[in-house]
Amino acid sequence: MEDKIGVIKKVMKNLCIIILLLLGLAGVYAQKTVTVTIYRVMQVDNLDVPDIDPDRADFYAQIWIAGKMYQTRVFSTDDGRPYWRFSMPVTSRVVRIRIKLLDDDGSLERKDDYVDINPRDNKKDLNFTFDTQTGRIRGDVTGRRGRMIFSEGKHDSDKGRIWFKVE
């Protein structure tokens, strides 16, 4: 009888170890929320061709977090603070993020202006990764979780500026 009790104790001990290991791994891959907040947008180049009545920029953004796209409302100003905020639950440690800034031209023009917010030549939008564990941001921009990131288009037409955080 004592042998059976000893075997049962060993099995229970091993099961407890396995459960603790699984719980530890679950914590590593637990769902986290990634939030991108755009605090300020500004035109550098005049985004609307001056005509009889010059127009203000009508900014909106498209943001992809882990492949899911969000689109903001239009914010009409040449330099403004829209406070666009988007959050998404993720389970992977490294999350891909893309930010695209546009100027809405309404129905009079065929397409909206694609605002250059990337300092690299021949790239207008921002593509980067966010490491949910370390808080490091790498790619077209670099930074850390919760710190303001600034980017400005340098080489292409329709240049703009953007200030944002990733948390």
Side-chain angles (χ1 to χ4, degrees), residues 122-136:
N122 296 319
K123 287 191 80 179
K124 291 193 173 207
D125 54 349
L126 298 173
N127 289 284
F128 55 93
T129 58
F130 173 60
D131 187 320
T132 60
Q133 191 170 10
T134 65
R136 188 170 293 188

Side-chain angles (χ1 to χ4, degrees), residues 3-167:
D3 285 339
K4 288 184 180 182
I5 293 173
V7 170
I8 292 172
K9 283 183 178 180
K10 281 186 178 181
V11 169
M12 293 301 287
K13 181 179 178 184
N14 288 336
L15 279 174
C16 287
I17 291 170
I18 291 170
I19 289 169
L20 289 173
L21 285 172
L22 288 174
L23 287 174
L25 289 176
V28 171
Y29 295 104
Q31 186 170 315
K32 298 171 180 123
T33 300
V34 173
T35 301
V36 176
T37 306
I38 298 177
Y39 289 90
R40 185 176 175 192
V41 291
M42 178 181 169
Q43 72 176 3
V44 173
D45 294 337
N46 186 352
L47 299 173
D48 293 311
V49 178
D51 53 12
I52 298 169
D53 186 20
D55 193 7
R56 278 187 281 183
D58 301 304
F59 288 114
Y60 68 97
Q62 294 175 338
I63 302 166
W64 288 261
I65 302 172
K68 180 170 173 146
M69 196 267 277
Y70 301 90
Q71 184 166 308
T72 68
R73 293 182 180 199
V74 172
F75 189 74
S76 297
T77 184
D78 292 339
D79 180 3
R81 292 169 171 79
Y83 196 75
W84 292 318
R85 185 179 184 102
F86 294 94
S87 298
M88 172 152 178
V90 297
T91 54
S92 61
R93 176 179 170 177
V94 177
V95 178
R96 292 185 167 281
I97 299 172
R98 177 181 173 201
I99 300 174
K100 181 177 182 177
L101 188 63
L102 298 116
D103 171 51
D104 181 32
D105 286 330
S107 60
L108 297 176
E109 295 188 31
R110 292 180 190 233
K111 65 179 184 169
D112 296 338
D113 299 313
Y114 188 177
V115 182
D116 176 18
I117 53 173
N118 192 317
R120 296 178 183 185
D121 200 11
N122 296 319
K123 287 191 80 179
K124 291 193 173 207
D125 54 349
L126 298 173
N127 289 284
F128 55 93
T129 58
F130 173 60
D131 187 320
T132 60
Q133 191 170 10
T134 65
R136 188 170 293 188
I137 295 164
R138 292 183 174 160
D140 292 335
V141 292
T142 58
R144 308 276 303 163
R145 172 190 352 232
R147 294 190 183 157
M148 190 68 71
I149 297 172
F150 166 78
S151 185
E152 177 180 351
K154 298 260 188 229
H155 302 286
D156 301 310
S157 61
D158 295 333
K159 291 183 281 297
R161 295 178 179 149
I162 189 168
W163 290 259
F164 66 96
K165 287 183 184 179
V166 179
E167 300 175 282

